[in-house]
Amino acid sequence: MPDDLYDLDDDPTRIQRDAVWAWLSTEAYWGGWRTREQVETQLDNAWRVVAAYHRPTGELVGFARAVSDGVGFAYLADVFVVDAHRGHGLGKRLIRLMIDDGPGADMRWTLFTGDAHGLYRQFGFAEPDATAMVRPALYRHGERA
């Protein structure tokens, strides 16, 4: 599939919530504990969402969400590309649209990932330095983590 078969944009009204929920609830190792209601709340409260759509079918095949104060800090979350559409640079294009080509290009960005360090390093992400601290979640699935 050539790359010109994909449209990317940041229109929150275009997000296909069922597709986002379907992927996050079955494929995301990082957040499968969330309920549909919680994912809906995250979408409603997102500072920015970007998505990739397969032009011939119109289906959402890639997604990224950000939370931000709108001035100096942003958190990148829930980045995914559907398996059948990987290998076409969509992950890079999603991140570029979200960060470099968006209103947060000059902000300090953070994210958590267990498997895509190489991708994110291409956009300036690095392991935390002595100025960063993280408080782990206290609860997951209604139980103490």
Side-chain angles (χ1 to χ4, degrees):
M1 285 180 261
D3 292 341
D4 64 347
L5 290 179
Y6 299 98
D7 291 319
L8 279 78
D9 72 38
D10 62 353
D11 179 357
T13 65
R14 190 176 175 193
I15 298 297
Q16 297 166 7
R17 290 170 174 247
D18 288 341
V20 172
W21 167 249
W23 200 94
L24 291 176
S25 65
T26 61
E27 303 292 330
Y29 68 83
W30 62 86
W33 54 269
R34 292 176 284 187
T35 66
R36 174 73 188 245
E37 181 180 1
Q38 290 169 327
V39 170
E40 291 289 338
T41 299
Q42 290 176 320
L43 292 172
D44 291 341
N45 294 327
W47 171 66
R48 192 157 190 250
V49 291
V50 298
Y53 301 91
H54 186 230
R55 197 173 287 156
T57 64
E59 70 179 312
L60 182 147
V61 298
F63 176 80
R65 175 177 67 87
V67 177
S68 176
D69 64 8
V71 177
F73 176 81
Y75 172 73
L76 180 63
D78 294 332
V79 178
F80 71 83
V81 175
V82 173
D83 285 347
H85 297 274
R86 290 184 181 169
H88 302 285
L90 290 176
K92 290 179 188 177
R93 291 174 64 191
L94 283 167
I95 296 166
R96 186 173 299 111
L97 177 59
M98 175 65 82
I99 297 175
D100 294 336
D101 297 340
D106 295 329
M107 292 183 188
R108 181 178 191 176
W109 284 82
T110 188
L111 66 89
F112 294 96
T113 184
D115 64 355
H117 296 81
L119 170 64
Y120 296 115
R121 279 190 185 101
Q122 295 175 49
F123 292 90
F125 286 89
E127 284 71 17
D129 59 24
T131 67
M133 296 177 73
V134 175
R135 179 183 173 186
L138 296 179
Y139 293 92
R140 294 268 167 114
H141 307 287
E143 298 177 14
R144 198 157 184 84

